[in-house]
Amino acid sequence: YPNPTFDSKFNIGLGQKYSHVFVSISNTLGQEVQAQDYYDCDSIEMKIKEIGFFLVTIAADDQIPVTFKLINK
């Protein structure tokens, strides 16, 4: 949240604490524009530099990766 974002910042609540989380942000062409590892966290705050529509993929510990849409205005 928020989605859409207007100031380039967004938060992801994970619902529980994970030892390792990998977040990848891709544009509509499938090109990775940002990626980052996080450790021992239950929420993530990120800032995306580009404006547009993105797919955010989260892989936490041994869980199945989850992808959601993000709009940055």
Side-chain angles (χ1 to χ4, degrees), residues 2-72:
N3 193 8
T5 181
F6 294 96
D7 64 356
S8 301
K9 293 181 188 175
F10 64 97
N11 296 299
I12 303 169
L14 301 175
Q16 71 182 61
K17 192 169 190 171
Y18 290 98
S19 60
H20 177 239
V21 179
F22 177 73
V23 180
S24 172
I25 302 174
S26 301
N27 63 20
T28 55
L29 299 175
Q31 299 165 325
E32 186 175 82
V33 295
Q34 192 170 337
Q36 190 165 346
D37 288 294
Y38 295 88
Y39 298 94
D40 297 319
C41 60
D42 60 359
S43 66
I44 295 169
E45 181 176 305
M46 294 188 78
K47 185 172 185 175
I48 190 163
K49 301 168 189 162
E50 300 178 31
I51 293 173
F53 177 85
F54 300 92
L55 296 175
V56 180
T57 301
I58 303 169
D61 290 340
D62 295 331
Q63 304 293 316
I64 295 172
V66 175
T67 301
F68 65 91
K69 301 171 196 170
L70 177 71
I71 300 169
N72 187 31

